[in-house]
Amino acid sequence: MIDTKNTGHANMHPIINMLVQLQDLLLIRSEQEAVVSSSRMSQLDSAIQTLRSNLPSETNQLFHKIEKKDLLVIVPISNNVCTGCGLILPVSLVHAVRAGKKLQQCPNCARILYYQNFLPRRVSKKMGGRFTPRRTGIARFSSQELMIPSLKATERDNVIAELAGKMVEEGFVDNGEKLLDEALKREAIMHTGVDNGLAFPHVRGVEGGGLTLALGISRKGIKFDSTERALSHIIFFIVIPTAASVFYLRLLAGLTQSFLKKESRQKLISSESSEALWNTLLKATRTKIK
Ligand SMILES: [Zn+2]
């Protein structure tokens, strides 16, 4: 079941709220395409259809027009900047977006703008550790400090809390509470467990910095969907700045492909230290993630 009722924001204009939900569903649909999972497509498509049909026709047309050019149609503003294209917005426009009376578009990229309070922030931290001379592949997005070879938590929400906590603890992201809250909201729309025992819980719209990924292993396995029997053993927790949303889909596809073979998954699962897990991840993703 697709449940979008918890994704909105209390003080948001109802149309903006619907557009944000529609954008979420369209991005989730692209995620499913990236991990080649067709099982949940029809559910998603009907929810997307319902939302579209509830929008005023003018708004629908506008959405459709922008959608034809880009996957990101509606983006939050952050520090007076359009997170879609990076343009510094005129103060009067920022005020109009915050007031939320009329739909406002970025004068540069034409995306619809909205205001969102208290986004978690990616704080600057070097990736790949001190001894990595040049960062390539997965080392651009993660680091040995973000590896958990044996997750303590045994339930989905606690596992997500453990991974988000790791990111905060290691100084990669702030506002851990909001981070966890957003990750669980995303999970409530449609769980992020996929085939082959992988799962990709994530938070979009993180302010600043680049895409960041933590990895946790559960040998026992975690149920990402209470109605399915499949367990997730390899759990990637990813924070995604809005501008990296499209790149994130490529990363998802790369990770899925890297772990299609049971042998590569087994190597991850049997890594006993964060160092071993990190080295295994570097090796396994070398050809698929450049
Ligand atoms: Zn823009």
Side-chain angles (χ1 to χ4, degrees):
M1 263 293 113
I2 310 239
D3 175 14
T4 52
K5 65 178 178 292
N6 293 320
T7 57
H9 303 270
N11 53 358
M12 209 179 254
H13 189 279
I15 298 285
I16 294 278
N17 211 336
M18 283 166 79
L19 290 175
V20 171
Q21 288 179 12
L22 178 56
Q23 176 75 77
D24 280 347
L25 290 180
L26 290 169
L27 283 164
I28 292 171
R29 194 184 190 286
S30 308
E31 281 165 19
Q32 299 297 313
E33 275 172 353
V35 299
V36 211
S37 165
S38 55
S39 57
R40 288 175 261 171
M41 276 309 186
S42 61
Q43 254 187 72
L44 272 168
D45 283 339
S46 75
I48 288 168
Q49 217 37 60
T50 309
L51 265 172
R52 283 195 205 272
S53 62
N54 289 338
L55 284 171
S57 69
E58 254 172 61
T59 312
N60 223 332
Q61 276 165 23
L62 175 64
F63 195 96
H64 189 67
K65 196 175 143 201
I66 307 170
E67 194 185 13
K68 277 194 289 191
K69 284 184 275 175
D70 197 282
L71 186 64
L72 286 179
V73 176
I74 178 161
V75 297
I77 58 171
S78 159
N79 294 323
N80 301 354
V81 168
C82 165
T83 58
C85 72
L87 183 79
I88 301 169
L89 303 167
V91 177
S92 58
L93 180 57
V94 172
H95 284 306
V97 172
R98 289 186 73 149
K101 290 203 178 92
K102 247 181 77 188
L103 292 187
Q104 303 291 339
Q105 291 174 263
C106 171
N108 181 45
C109 69
R111 292 184 176 98
I112 302 165
L113 301 167
Y114 71 101
Y115 181 75
Q116 197 180 3
N117 221 346
F118 307 119
L119 289 167
R121 178 181 292 274
R122 172 73 172 74
V123 280
S124 71
K125 173 127 183 178
K126 262 174 93 180
M127 292 292 189
R130 270 175 296 167
F131 305 111
T132 312
R134 197 167 63 93
R135 289 178 287 139
T136 54
I138 199 83
R140 284 183 294 156
F141 317 113
S142 193
S143 139
Q144 190 179 312
E145 301 144 279
L146 293 173
M147 302 293 112
I148 307 181
S150 184
L151 286 160
K152 287 189 195 77
T154 53
E155 311 265 330
R156 183 190 74 185
D157 291 3
N158 296 338
V159 163
I160 297 175
E162 192 175 341
L163 284 161
K166 184 80 175 167
M167 247 184 214
V168 176
E169 197 183 293
E170 296 293 341
F172 285 86
V173 189
D174 73 356
N175 204 343
E177 213 172 297
K178 179 75 178 165
L179 189 68
L180 177 60
D181 193 46
E182 290 295 321
L184 296 182
K185 267 191 201 163
R186 165 61 187 88
E187 215 62 40
I189 303 174
M190 182 172 267
H191 75 89
T192 58
V194 299
D195 292 347
N196 295 324
L198 305 182
F200 297 98
H202 58 265
V203 175
R204 263 202 222 90
V206 172
E207 275 188 58
L211 212 136
T212 311
L213 169 153
L215 168 62
I217 303 296
S218 167
R219 290 188 184 84
K220 200 168 152 262
I222 305 294
K223 237 181 192 186
F224 264 68
D225 179 6
S226 53
T227 65
E228 281 170 27
R229 244 178 303 169
L231 294 174
S232 300
H233 297 276
I234 300 169
I235 299 139
F236 293 97
F237 178 76
I238 310 173
V239 300
I240 312 149
T242 303
S245 291
V246 176
F247 182 78
Y248 163 64
L249 299 172
R250 289 219 298 273
L251 179 68
L252 260 189
L255 287 170
T256 311
Q257 283 162 20
S258 301
F259 296 103
L260 278 178
K261 279 200 203 126
K262 193 172 180 193
E263 195 196 327
S264 349
R265 302 198 295 273
Q266 216 46 54
K267 276 186 190 151
L268 270 194
I269 293 171
S270 57
S271 300
E272 282 181 0
S273 65
S274 52
E275 189 185 2
L277 183 57
W278 175 238
N279 287 328
T280 311
L281 179 67
L282 284 175
K283 228 174 166 179
T285 55
R286 206 162 42 196
T287 58
K288 301 290 181 207
I289 297 166
K290 299 278 178 191

